Amino acid sequence: MQLIRSTIVVVNDEPGYLTLMDALLHDAGYPTVIGVESPKAYDTIARAQPDIIILDIRLDQPAIGWRVLDLLRLDPATASIPVILCCTDARLCHEKRATLTEQRCIILEKPFFLSDLLATIGTALRWGRDNQIELPRLRARRAGTT
């Protein structure tokens, strides 16, 4: 019996970040859809129907990340896909935490440790299966980490 790994779509506007995430997720055994351009992100996600979405909330234009999230949640085909929301604005993330959790988002502040990313993916996968969430404990961030 072959194990089928969960597919992850990564939405970000920085090519270096996308290359790094593709390598990290590939090494961890996850098939990925990488290099999504922000204006086309929603269409790509809707076609791919991934198990998890990793979305940078601040894309090339700050409102686009929020727009992508709104479109995902309005579409019944994508409404229940867990989103790991990468955010560099800690204040904004904390202010919107309750609303984002209701929208099936898990906040992962940048920069983050690889172990935190993998733990968050595991949480999102369990959440997708069980409709419940238990947020992982994340270590303090340090400059220069992913």
Side-chain angles (χ1 to χ4, degrees):
M1 183 169 117
Q2 184 178 6
L3 178 64
I4 298 173
R5 297 296 298 213
S6 301
T7 300
I8 301 173
V9 169
V10 181
V11 179
N12 195 291
D13 59 344
E14 297 176 26
Y17 178 86
L18 291 170
T19 300
L20 177 62
M21 290 294 286
D22 187 37
L24 293 172
L25 294 171
H26 177 77
D27 288 350
Y30 293 104
T32 58
V33 176
I34 298 289
V36 178
E37 295 177 26
S38 53
K40 299 176 184 177
Y42 167 76
D43 293 332
T44 301
I45 293 166
R47 275 193 310 277
Q49 287 294 302
D51 299 286
I52 299 172
I53 302 160
I54 299 176
L55 173 64
D56 186 345
I57 202 62
R58 291 209 177 255
L59 295 167
D60 50 358
Q61 299 173 18
I64 291 180
W66 294 106
R67 191 160 140 202
V68 169
L69 183 58
D70 288 343
L71 289 171
L72 291 170
R73 293 311 176 229
L74 290 171
D75 182 349
T78 58
S80 64
I81 300 172
V83 174
I84 297 172
L85 199 65
C86 294
C87 185
T88 55
D89 186 344
R91 184 183 57 81
L92 176 69
C93 291
H94 291 289
E95 286 175 2
K96 298 197 177 266
R97 185 174 297 276
T99 301
L100 291 169
T101 300
E102 287 174 14
Q103 292 183 347
R104 299 182 65 80
C105 295
I106 301 171
I107 297 169
L108 183 61
E109 291 181 33
K110 288 178 168 180
F112 51 79
F113 291 99
L114 175 59
S115 59
D116 292 337
L117 173 64
L118 296 177
T120 304
I121 289 170
T123 297
L125 289 172
R126 285 190 304 277
W127 190 11
R129 286 192 302 265
D130 305 334
N131 283 332
Q132 295 181 2
I133 184 167
E134 179 182 321
L135 294 175
R137 291 178 184 240
L138 303 180
R139 293 180 281 180
R141 298 181 312 157
R142 68 170 187 223
T145 57
T146 304

